[in-house]
Amino acid sequence: MNRSLRAFATLMFSTACLATVQAQGKLDLNKVNTALDNAAEQIKVLAERSAENMLPKTYDSGKNFDSETGWWTSGFYPGTLLYLYEHSGDKELLALAKQKLTLLEKEKFNTTTHDLGFMLYCSFGNAMRITGDTTAYKEILLKGAESLATRYSPVTKSIRSWDFDNFPVIIDNMMNLEFLNSATRLSGNQKFYDISVTHANTTMQNHYRKDYSCYHVVDYDPETGDIIKKKTNQGAFDESAWARGQAWGLYGYVMMYRDTKNKKYLSFAKKIAKYMLEHPNMPDDLVAYWDYDAPDLPEDSKYLKYKHYRDASTAAVTASALLEMSTMVKGKLSKYYLQTAETMLYNLSTASYTAEVGSNGGFLLKHSVGSIPHNSEVDVPLTYADYYYVEALLRYKDLIK
Ligand code: GLY
């Protein structure tokens, strides 16, 4: 089905879909607690298998792979430890997190990446929230936000993602805005919030298509702000809907509604959710393929053999966003978002996706995809899939207890 036909069909059948969604399995409080207890045990396995001065990234063919602190995923492991400490009260998890935070602190000076929200807010942001220790963490967060703000251009009205191409902005960058919003709350300096809102508005205008799917990358002319090219980096092709990108966008606009209370972000997030959840290629277990267009790849596509690969990280990020959305709307829609997230989490928590404690190199979830076009991290566990899965379990638990 072409894109506009699909958008029309989605519009026509949306109400019917909404009314008929049922959780495929009940994720009751006991099951959530078991999943979190197992995660707290499993992450200690990961701790033992990772280098002391590095951060866990993934596991493949019997080997664990760690990263330096400058890699974009460095904040997720300490963040997951902190979430699991929050769940269990296990001081060993807090100590493990603190040891990694000490390594990570120097990234507050890093002005070469847009990923500082992932790196510093998922880690130090959670540390400050959970321990209540503002003295130790506030300065780190504010210095990091200053570093991120250096990448903003008033010409493109965006934060630059990568230091190659012209002025590329990737949809993932929406996730870093939470960090900037919090920096304004912490410091009273309006600058961070203004950058965040402007970036979100520019992205809304330029990354999204009529059907509310998004491009992965928009490359701007840094001198004029004109768009040079809209394309993909990790998706199947330029016009495709790379799955995790859709999830980053959804989560980003939900969070922007939370932080600004501007209804246009919530209404936008609802449209993104509709695109994702009602997509004809969404599998029954709601764990998306790595690209929404992957199952329809033509016979001559170089990625054909991957057409049915799933991305558990997309499901984890989406579930977490939907749970928050369920608190922002009322009635049937709220129930729909909650039940959809429940189905995602229920399925992620089965043996199809959750590793047995002691296996999978200590990571929680199996079957994520880093980047198929780069032949990198294909059908493996990923530290961010685990982070958002645990976050979503905690959000879900909060809503049902
Ligand atoms: N931010 C890179 C990714 O989602 O793979």
Side-chain angles (χ1 to χ4, degrees):
M1 207 186 299
N2 75 27
R3 214 168 262 295
S4 37
L5 259 178
R6 188 186 295 144
F8 178 70
T10 296
L11 195 74
M12 296 308 289
F13 293 111
S14 59
T15 324
C17 289
L18 224 173
T20 55
V21 163
Q22 292 294 330
Q24 288 164 2
K26 193 85 200 110
L27 194 63
D28 59 21
L29 198 54
N30 271 340
K31 283 203 177 84
V32 181
N33 278 328
T34 305
L36 287 165
D37 290 347
N38 288 343
E41 208 181 320
Q42 174 76 331
I43 206 161
K44 291 184 184 170
V45 177
L46 182 56
E48 275 173 21
R49 294 182 65 100
S50 313
E52 209 178 314
N53 58 347
M54 308 264 279
L55 285 307
K57 192 168 64 158
T58 184
Y59 168 81
D60 198 0
S61 312
K63 197 171 164 351
N64 279 66
F65 294 88
D66 301 322
S67 78
E68 304 286 344
T69 55
W71 182 241
W72 76 276
T73 63
S74 58
F76 294 117
Y77 173 66
T80 312
L81 284 165
L82 287 159
Y83 274 144
L84 291 171
Y85 163 66
E86 192 176 19
H87 163 71
S88 63
D90 182 344
K91 290 257 165 40
E92 190 185 334
L93 299 178
L94 179 63
L96 284 166
K98 284 188 169 170
Q99 188 258 329
K100 296 300 183 192
L101 292 181
T102 308
L103 290 177
L104 202 52
E105 179 176 343
K106 63 176 180 297
E107 297 306 326
K108 67 186 178 187
F109 299 115
N110 189 343
T111 56
T112 68
T113 178
H114 73 131
D115 285 319
L116 291 174
F118 286 134
M119 294 155 71
L120 299 177
Y121 195 63
C122 296
S123 52
F124 290 99
N126 272 319
M128 190 168 80
R129 181 181 63 79
I130 292 166
T131 65
D133 188 348
T134 337
T135 327
Y137 302 123
K138 184 173 161 178
E139 180 275 329
I140 299 167
L141 287 164
L142 290 180
K143 184 68 214 161
E146 281 293 350
S147 297
L148 178 55
T150 64
R151 300 183 67 80
Y152 175 75
S153 156
V155 178
T156 62
K157 297 187 170 27
S158 298
I159 300 162
R160 183 178 184 132
S161 293
W162 298 321
D163 287 343
F164 50 84
D165 280 352
N166 298 289
F167 190 106
V169 178
I170 64 174
I171 189 65
D172 322 28
N173 210 339
M174 283 300 301
M175 297 297 284
N176 294 304
L177 306 184
E178 189 170 14
F179 182 34
L180 293 177
N181 298 340
S182 88
T184 287
R185 287 194 300 272
L186 274 177
S187 64
N189 184 346
Q190 187 68 16
K191 172 180 85 172
F192 303 114
Y193 181 86
D194 289 346
I195 290 175
S196 160
V197 166
T198 311
H199 181 99
N201 294 343
T202 307
T203 300
M204 202 183 234
Q205 197 177 317
N206 296 335
H207 270 73
Y208 279 84
R209 306 179 180 109
K210 282 203 171 67
D211 62 2
Y212 297 96
S213 69
C214 67
Y215 288 91
H216 183 191
V217 188
V218 176
D219 192 22
Y220 295 92
D221 181 329
E223 308 301 329
T224 63
D226 292 343
I227 294 168
I228 296 173
K229 193 164 166 53
K230 298 186 181 192
K231 57 185 180 178
T232 199
N233 186 266
Q234 285 159 254
F237 49 96
D238 287 343
E239 291 298 324
S240 78
W242 173 52
R244 194 164 51 254
Q246 313 311 304
W248 291 146
L250 175 69
Y251 192 115
Y253 285 103
V254 172
M255 170 276 297
M256 283 306 289
Y257 174 63
R258 180 214 308 150
D259 282 353
T260 65
K261 296 288 170 282
N262 186 332
K263 285 221 158 65
K264 77 175 175 185
Y265 296 129
L266 178 59
S267 132
F268 201 67
K270 284 187 200 170
K271 289 167 181 158
I272 301 171
K274 185 184 260 205
Y275 172 84
M276 296 169 76
L277 302 180
E278 298 176 15
H279 198 289
N281 289 339
M282 178 62 109
D284 283 348
D285 68 2
L286 304 186
V287 179
Y289 297 107
W290 65 282
D291 189 304
Y292 281 92
D293 292 294
D296 300 329
L297 284 173
E299 289 303 309
D300 61 351
S301 166
K302 54 187 172 183
Y303 308 131
L304 198 63
K305 75 170 179 180
Y306 302 116
K307 73 194 275 188
H308 290 128
Y309 276 48
R310 305 298 189 87
D311 179 33
S313 76
T314 292
V317 174
T318 306
S320 193
L322 291 174
L323 288 168
E324 182 160 19
M325 271 177 102
S326 77
T327 68
M328 296 168 164
V329 297
K330 291 192 167 57
K332 269 192 186 161
L333 191 57
S334 169
K335 199 167 167 201
Y336 168 66
Y337 290 146
L338 181 66
Q339 286 191 338
T340 307
E342 179 182 8
T343 300
M344 288 175 177
L345 291 178
Y346 177 87
N347 290 324
L348 286 177
S349 303
T350 63
S352 300
Y353 294 99
T354 291
E356 241 178 74
V357 174
S359 70
N360 207 32
F363 287 91
L364 310 178
L365 294 179
K366 305 177 276 188
H367 305 309
S368 286
V369 162
S371 179
I372 282 181
H374 300 92
N375 196 21
S376 167
E377 301 174 337
V378 177
D379 195 25
V380 291
L382 290 168
T383 176
Y384 44 98
D386 288 3
Y387 174 89
Y388 288 102
Y389 171 62
V390 170
E391 178 182 273
L393 286 174
L394 290 172
R395 284 182 175 185
Y396 181 73
K397 182 177 165 175
D398 239 23
L399 290 173
I400 63 158
K401 74 180 182 204

